[in-house]
Amino acid sequence: MSNFINNLRDLNVGVMHPKGKHAEELLQQIHRIGCPFEAIWPIPSSLPRGIDVLFVDIDETSPLEIKPLLSKSKDDLPAIIAMIAYENPSVLDGLFEIGAHAVITKPVRAAGVMSSILMARRYWSETRKAEKDINKLKSKLENVQKVNDAKSILMRHRGLSDKEAYAIIRKQAMAKRATTLEIAQSIINADGILSELGND
C-alpha cells in the first residue's frame, strides 16, 4: 500500500472557505476520513503552521487575495486543493495563479475528498522533490564552473595546461584539508583583488 495512503490520517488539513454549507460539508468529510483539521476564515495574514493540505475556495477574484498569502509561505507551502463551484476561464486561470495541486467541485460529495487529498499530496511531494533535484543540479553546475574559472586563472597567470592547473588545485585542497571548491573560490577571490589593485 502506498505511503501516501498509510500516512493519510497524519496529515493536518486546513479549509480556507467562508462559513456555510459548503465548508461544513467538507469539514464533515475530512472528519470522517480521520484527518486533524482546522477551519481558516477570514483569510489570515499568514498561514497557520503545520498545515499539510489546504483547501481553498476559488472564484474569479479570490486568487488576488490568496496568492500573496501563499507567496509568504513559499518555503513551507502545503499541498493546495482548489474548491470551485463552476468552470470559466477566470476561475480556471485562478487555479494556475495559486498553483493548485488538485481541484474539487462544490457541492462537496462523499466521493472525491479523500482522493483529492491523496493526489494533491502526491503531486506536491513530486514537485518538491523535482525542485530539490533541480537546485542540486544548479549548485553542482555552479561549482564546476567555479573550478573551471580557477583553472583558467592559473593557466593564464602561470602558463599551465588544464590538467596541471587542476592538479595544483587538488594538491592545495589536500594540503589545506579543504575542498577543491574552497580552493577554487580562494583563487577567484585573489584574482579579483589583484585585478582591482591593478586598476588602482
Side-chain angles (χ1 to χ4, degrees):
M1 187 179 291
S2 167
N3 286 336
F4 292 101
I5 297 174
N6 287 333
N7 300 330
L8 176 63
R9 289 188 173 90
D10 295 328
L11 297 175
N12 293 310
V13 180
V15 176
M16 193 179 297
H17 192 291
K19 294 179 180 179
K21 180 182 176 182
H22 294 307
E24 287 300 322
E25 289 173 343
L26 177 58
L27 291 169
Q28 287 174 13
Q29 292 299 327
I30 296 169
H31 177 69
R32 289 192 185 105
I33 292 168
C35 297
F37 61 87
E38 180 177 353
I40 306 168
W41 198 262
I43 297 174
S45 58
S46 61
L47 284 178
R49 290 186 174 274
I51 298 293
D52 299 307
V53 179
L54 180 66
F55 285 85
V56 181
D57 181 43
I58 295 297
D59 56 26
E60 287 93 339
T61 61
S62 57
L64 294 174
E65 298 177 84
I66 294 167
K67 190 177 178 182
L69 169 64
L70 299 180
S71 297
K72 290 180 184 177
S73 307
K74 189 172 183 180
D75 294 335
D76 195 28
L77 193 65
I80 306 296
I81 303 175
M83 297 177 66
I84 61 174
Y86 48 86
E87 296 174 328
N88 65 30
S90 295
V91 170
L92 297 176
D93 190 53
L95 304 183
F96 296 117
E97 283 289 316
I98 67 165
H101 300 99
V103 182
I104 191 168
T105 57
K106 299 186 286 186
V108 177
R109 296 176 177 81
V113 175
M114 185 186 298
S115 58
S116 69
I117 292 174
L118 290 171
M119 295 306 294
R121 188 66 178 175
R122 179 179 175 182
Y123 179 30
W124 173 89
S125 177
E126 290 176 349
T127 301
R128 292 289 287 259
K129 183 180 182 302
E131 288 174 351
K132 287 180 181 178
D133 290 344
I134 290 170
N135 288 334
K136 283 182 182 178
L137 182 58
K138 283 182 179 178
S139 179
K140 186 175 181 179
L141 290 173
E142 288 172 0
N143 293 344
V144 169
Q145 186 59 52
K146 283 183 181 179
V147 173
N148 285 337
D149 289 345
K151 286 192 297 181
S152 295
I153 292 168
L154 292 176
M155 291 163 67
R156 185 172 70 249
H157 288 293
R158 303 184 63 175
L160 302 173
S161 69
D162 183 279
K163 287 184 178 179
E164 289 170 334
Y166 185 63
I168 287 178
I169 292 172
R170 286 195 64 187
K171 185 177 179 180
Q172 286 294 308
M174 291 175 67
K176 298 181 183 302
R177 294 185 178 180
T179 65
T180 54
L181 178 61
E182 289 170 336
I183 298 300
Q185 187 65 61
S186 297
I187 293 169
I188 294 167
N189 293 343
D191 185 60
I193 293 170
L194 290 173
S195 296
E196 288 177 7
L197 291 174
N199 291 331
D200 292 341

